[in-house]
Amino acid sequence: LTLGLLLVAAPSAVRAQTKESFRAFLETLWPDAKAMGIRRESFDAALRGVELDVTLPDLVIPGKTDPEPRGQAEFTRTPAEYLANGQLARLAEQGIALKEKHAPWLDKIEKELGVQRQFVLAIWGRETAFGHGNLQYYAVQVLANEAYLGRRKDMFRNEILQALKMLQAGVPRAEMRSSWAGAVGLTQFMPSEYFQYATDIDGDGKIDIFNSVPDALASAAKQLKGKGWVAGQGWGFEVRVPKGSD
């Protein structure tokens, strides 16, 4: 029987065994978490209620085929679907208003980090619809499942450890709402990038990519800069391929 069938159709004793295997996997995280300075009580609290969920995208379930790939939209939708004109028009209208509302912070971001305002606004809009997106998952839950059954186990194992570190550092569990892949915050940071790029630009003494628009946008700008963004340069330009080109 496949893992999916085990969970759905097998006797309760088998389902319990499968869940026990998942819990045993979670326990294997403890030595690495401890080495990172995470306290046992923080570790246990973060994993409380975390369960196996085979409905998540991008899992490798033996014997199961998925006729419709369910991954990141930019990879599973056609360009026309992903760049739907109606949705982009709505986001653009909101973005124009938000550009005026947050102009002082956007000025500061451009001056200090060299990333133009339209790009960080576009990231915010596209990633979470300017904070109105449906982040339905607890980040640790999805990261645990992706680390256990995902296609990129090593990557997600590191990400769940970094998420535990975020909680240890004081990020409230309630703020750790995420996409199916475990990205969090207004501009969708993977936990590993939180410690690398998240920044406090509003000067309140804490980094808050969940509720502080200045912090979230500055963090996105710092992320771009860290990945090689060239100040004043655009992200790309439109080209038309001549007919007959290979």
Side-chain angles (χ1 to χ4, degrees):
L1 291 176
T2 67
L3 179 58
L5 290 175
L6 284 173
L7 291 175
V8 175
S12 58
V14 177
R15 292 199 301 271
Q17 184 178 10
T18 305
K19 291 180 180 179
E20 287 174 5
S21 297
F22 179 65
R23 295 303 304 181
F25 162 74
L26 294 180
E27 190 59 31
T28 68
L29 299 171
W30 169 240
D32 289 337
K34 182 179 180 181
M36 293 169 62
I38 297 169
R39 297 187 300 272
R40 183 72 208 201
E41 58 267 29
S42 297
F43 180 85
D44 291 339
L47 294 177
R48 189 171 298 125
V50 171
E51 298 179 349
L52 184 64
D53 182 0
V54 297
T55 68
L56 291 168
D58 214 33
L59 299 183
V60 179
I61 301 174
K64 181 179 178 181
T65 58
D66 190 351
E68 295 184 4
R70 296 173 58 225
Q72 292 172 263
E74 57 265 39
F75 302 128
T76 60
R77 297 180 186 175
T78 66
E81 291 170 337
Y82 184 67
L83 301 173
N85 289 335
Q87 182 185 17
L88 290 181
R90 289 190 295 272
L91 290 174
E93 184 177 357
Q94 296 172 46
I96 291 170
L98 291 167
K99 182 176 71 170
E100 298 303 319
K101 179 178 180 180
H102 298 289
W105 294 115
L106 293 167
D107 288 342
K108 185 176 178 67
I109 288 168
E110 287 190 359
K111 181 178 180 180
E112 296 184 3
L113 295 168
V115 179
Q116 304 96 302
R117 63 196 64 208
Q118 64 266 32
F119 299 117
V120 291
L121 285 169
I123 290 171
W124 181 22
R126 197 58 181 164
E127 292 292 347
T128 63
F130 299 115
H132 299 293
N134 180 24
L135 301 178
Q136 58 182 308
Y137 301 107
Y138 171 42
V140 173
Q141 164 86 7
V142 298
L143 292 170
N145 276 273
E146 295 291 344
Y148 182 57
L149 283 175
R151 300 178 189 277
R152 297 168 288 174
K153 293 181 177 64
D154 290 343
M155 185 194 86
F156 280 108
R157 184 182 180 92
N158 177 57
E159 293 298 344
I160 188 175
L161 290 168
Q162 296 296 329
L164 297 178
K165 186 178 176 182
M166 288 177 67
L167 291 162
Q168 168 89 13
V171 175
R173 176 171 172 146
E175 299 287 15
M176 296 290 282
R177 305 306 301 172
S178 78
S179 63
W180 68 263
V184 298
L186 294 173
T187 55
Q188 291 289 274
F189 264 45
M190 293 302 288
S192 59
E193 295 194 315
Y194 175 83
F195 290 103
Q196 193 171 4
Y197 299 118
T199 188
D200 170 30
I201 202 173
D202 63 13
D204 67 352
K206 62 179 181 180
I207 296 171
D208 183 2
I209 64 170
F210 309 94
N211 304 292
S212 168
V213 172
D215 282 4
L217 297 185
S219 297
K222 187 176 178 181
Q223 181 187 47
L224 289 176
K225 183 178 179 180
K227 293 179 182 294
W229 185 267
V230 178
Q233 184 171 302
W235 70 270
F237 52 89
E238 182 179 3
V239 297
R240 295 182 181 275
V241 179
K243 290 181 180 181
S245 298
D246 293 335

